């Protein structure tokens, strides 16, 4: 699109070319603004035209163009129902006497079965005290840096019953052992923040005492201090809002996040935690209600912000490598005592000497001399392998 006589890109002078392109962009924006104002003026007198335009101008997104999936528990299965019914009628002549099964019933029934038998059923049964928040153990990977610890402190402020414990270095601090240690002390969750290149990049969530274990990739972190005009949190129990968890897997992940918070929020704190699922990305936000008047309310963000993406969900706790396995016994030659070894060594030496004397006698043509067998005494400074049970622990540590 040109400006009339020529294209801006055909101007060789850089200063003039930028000036013409700037004017062209301004004129284009003004013309678009005039069209929008004229359309708004027309729709102000004709509401039906505005409604028709909104119905026609529906943006195409991945969510509204996605095909029906039977695992989606809240999707409209009308199209899939008609298609499956017609297919069954074509393939099965006797299908006229049988009632076609609604495909939406199977996922719903399976979802109810999952809810009644999943590991979180005890939490939702109401047996726990709603005034006591679940205990959450927050820790990091080994050799974590300051940035990771700052993010962990933000997580401690999000979950009411969270506690940060620094992870020690060396063996004995494997994730499976930490999970067992935390389960024995009444913790309900283990949250491990992994670090790579001095930045948090993943979160492992373990539901105690028997699992499951979820692994999330962590991106787009913004701490509270990096958010302009953020609010200060209070120790009240927040509300939890889950959006877009519509599949069977989504229900499981959503129930997992529900167990982090007490079942009864404290509304006087006016805090809300939101997990929004879009294209399998979980966007985390925390806000505070700000009532401007009796009719108007606004949201003030508290922070932090981060994005999660589920990579794996496994049953049970993380595997524990058996580093304390008993070492195998050392294998030696089958001698009853040290004297037999010395006698064998002496007999080998005597045999070699006799063979050398016989060769010399054959060369000189004389009779072979008769020699007595040598018996070498055992060397006093020779090292002897002796098994000592009290050294078993030391040797086992050496072979690790």
């Amino acid at each position: 699109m040109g400006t009339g006589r020529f294209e801006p890109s055909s101007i060789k002078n850089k200063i003039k070319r930028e000036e013409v392109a700037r004017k062209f962009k301004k004129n284009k924006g003004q013309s678009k603004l005039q069209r929008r104002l004229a359309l708004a003026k027309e729709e102000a007198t004709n509401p039906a035209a505005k409604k028709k335009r909104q119905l026609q101008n529906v943006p195409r997104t991945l969510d509204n163009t996605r095909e029906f999936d039977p695992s989606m528990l809240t999707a409209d299965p009308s199209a899939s129902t008609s298609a499956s019914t017609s297919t069954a009628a074509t393939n099965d002549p006797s299908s006229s006497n049988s009632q076609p099964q609604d495909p939406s019933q199977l996922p719903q029934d399976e979802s109810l079965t999952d809810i009644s038998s999943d590991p979180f059923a005890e939490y939702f049964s109401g047996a726990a005290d709603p005034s006591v928040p679940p205990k959450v153990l927050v820790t990091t990977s080994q050799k974590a840096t300051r940035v990771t610890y700052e993010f962990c402190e933000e997580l401690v402020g999000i979950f009411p019953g969270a506690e940060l414990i620094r992870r020690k270095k060396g063996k004995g601090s494997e994730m499976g052992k930490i999970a067992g240690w935390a389960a024995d002390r009444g913790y309900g969750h283990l949250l491990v923040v992994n670090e790579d290149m001095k930045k948090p990049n993943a979160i492992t969530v373990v539901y105690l005492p028997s699992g499951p274990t979820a692994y999330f990739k962590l991106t787009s972190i913004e701490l509270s201090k990096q958010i302009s005009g953020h609010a200060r949190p209070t120790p009240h129990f927040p509300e939890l809002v889950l959006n877009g968890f519509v599949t069977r897997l989504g229900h499981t992940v959503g129930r997992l996040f529900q167990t982090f918070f007490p079942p009864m929020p404290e509304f006087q704190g006016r805090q809300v935690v939101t997990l929004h699922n879009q294209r399998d990305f979980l966007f985390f936000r925390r806000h505070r209600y700000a009532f401007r008047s009796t009719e108007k309310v606004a949201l003030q963000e508290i922070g932090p912000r981060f994005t999660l993406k589920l990579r794996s969900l496994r049953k049970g706790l993380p595997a524990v490598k058996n580093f304390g396995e008993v070492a195998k016994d050392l294998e030696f030659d089958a001698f009853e005592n040290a004297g037999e070894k010395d006698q064998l060594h002496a007999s080998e030496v005597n045999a070699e000497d006799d063979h050398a004397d016989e060769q010399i006698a054959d060369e000189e043509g004389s009779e072979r001399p008769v020699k007595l067998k040598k018996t070498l005494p055992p060397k006093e400074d020779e090292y002897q392998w002796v098994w000592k049970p009290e050294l078993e622990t030391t040797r086992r540590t050496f072979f690790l």
Side-chain angles (χ1 to χ4, degrees):
M1 183 181 295
T3 58
R5 295 181 300 172
F6 49 81
E7 296 285 344
S9 59
S10 62
I11 302 176
K12 296 184 178 181
N13 188 290
K14 180 180 178 180
I15 299 177
K16 188 64 177 179
R17 182 173 64 248
E18 291 178 351
E19 180 182 354
V20 173
R22 192 162 45 249
K23 290 181 180 180
F24 172 69
K25 185 176 181 180
K26 182 178 179 180
N27 294 334
K28 184 178 178 181
Q30 288 293 329
S31 60
K32 183 177 180 180
L33 177 61
Q34 295 299 328
R35 290 196 305 269
R36 291 172 62 91
L37 293 176
L39 182 62
K41 185 177 181 180
E42 179 184 355
E43 291 179 349
T45 58
N46 188 4
K50 180 178 180 180
K51 187 175 182 180
K52 181 179 179 181
R53 178 181 61 82
Q54 291 178 346
L55 293 176
Q56 293 178 349
N57 298 339
V58 178
R60 293 177 56 86
T61 62
L62 292 178
D63 292 332
N64 60 16
T65 58
R66 183 178 297 170
E67 296 182 358
F68 171 73
D69 186 358
S71 64
M72 291 186 180
L73 305 177
T74 58
D76 184 11
S78 57
S80 178
T81 304
S82 59
S84 61
T85 304
S86 60
T87 304
T90 305
N91 298 334
D92 189 3
S94 61
S95 61
S96 57
N97 298 329
S98 61
Q99 295 294 332
Q101 183 180 7
D102 188 356
S104 64
Q105 296 298 327
L106 181 60
Q108 294 288 349
D109 296 342
E110 292 181 353
S111 176
L112 295 177
T113 304
D114 295 342
I115 291 175
S116 61
S117 60
D118 65 359
F120 320 116
E122 182 179 359
Y123 172 84
F124 293 97
S125 63
D129 187 1
S131 62
V132 178
K135 295 181 65 177
V136 181
L137 175 60
V138 180
T139 186
T140 63
S141 58
Q142 295 184 1
K143 300 180 181 180
T145 58
R146 177 182 56 84
V147 180
T148 304
Y149 281 116
E150 289 181 352
F151 178 69
C152 290
E153 291 176 356
E154 296 273 0
L155 295 179
V156 171
I158 295 171
F159 307 116
E163 180 184 1
L164 174 61
I165 298 180
R166 292 177 177 264
R167 188 170 177 177
K168 67 177 183 179
K169 302 178 182 179
K171 297 180 180 179
S173 61
E174 292 80 12
M175 193 182 302
K177 293 185 178 180
I178 296 177
W181 180 90
D184 294 339
R185 286 156 179 80
Y187 287 92
H189 303 79
L190 172 63
L191 201 150
V192 182
V193 180
N194 188 61
E195 177 185 302
D196 185 33
M197 301 295 290
K198 298 184 178 182
K199 290 183 180 179
N201 70 328
I203 293 181
T204 303
V205 179
V206 183
Y207 184 74
L208 302 176
S210 58
T213 302
Y215 178 77
F216 298 90
K217 294 298 291 183
L218 177 63
T219 55
S220 305
I221 300 175
E222 288 189 33
L223 302 180
S224 298
K225 63 182 181 181
Q226 298 173 342
I227 300 175
S228 178
H230 68 89
R232 293 183 178 180
T234 59
H236 297 89
F237 299 161
E239 303 177 54
L240 179 62
V241 177
L242 301 175
N243 293 329
F245 294 84
V246 296
T247 62
R248 292 178 60 191
L249 178 61
H251 276 205
T252 303
V253 176
R255 287 166 66 85
L256 173 62
F257 282 110
Q258 281 183 275
T259 58
F260 278 92
F261 301 91
M264 182 58 66
E266 297 177 348
F267 296 101
Q268 61 270 25
R270 297 178 288 134
Q271 295 183 130
V272 56
V273 172
T274 305
L275 276 169
H276 177 72
N277 178 25
Q278 186 172 357
R279 301 186 302 276
D280 297 332
F281 287 93
L282 308 182
F283 299 93
F284 179 91
R285 297 293 185 271
R286 182 167 61 151
H287 296 86
R288 175 178 173 270
Y289 293 116
F291 294 97
R292 308 303 184 189
S293 64
T294 56
E295 298 179 355
K296 294 183 179 181
V297 63
L299 290 177
Q300 186 180 12
E301 189 168 2
I302 300 175
R305 303 174 183 171
F306 55 87
T307 305
L308 301 174
K309 186 174 180 62
L310 181 66
R311 290 301 188 185
S312 66
L313 181 64
R314 302 178 181 180
K315 294 182 179 180
L317 302 179
V320 180
K321 297 182 179 180
N322 193 7
F323 290 106
E325 184 178 0
V326 179
K328 296 182 179 180
D329 296 339
L330 297 177
E331 297 181 359
F332 308 103
D333 295 334
F335 295 116
E336 295 182 359
N337 49 50
E340 291 187 6
K341 182 179 179 181
D342 298 333
Q343 292 178 3
L344 178 61
H345 177 66
S347 62
E348 292 177 353
V349 173
N350 291 334
E352 293 178 358
D353 293 344
D354 294 343
H355 182 67
D357 293 340
E358 290 176 0
Q359 289 182 350
I360 295 173
D362 293 340
E363 293 176 358
E364 296 178 353
S366 59
E367 296 181 358
R368 297 180 179 180
V370 179
K371 292 186 177 181
L372 299 177
K373 293 184 178 180
K374 298 180 181 179
T375 302
L376 298 178
K379 298 180 180 180
E380 296 180 357
D381 57 345
E382 183 179 0
Y383 183 81
Q384 298 180 5
W385 287 92
V386 180
W387 180 263
K388 294 183 178 181
E390 60 272 11
L391 299 179
E392 181 179 358
T393 305
T394 305
R395 184 166 57 256
R396 186 185 308 150
T397 304
F398 175 77
F399 281 106
L400 288 177

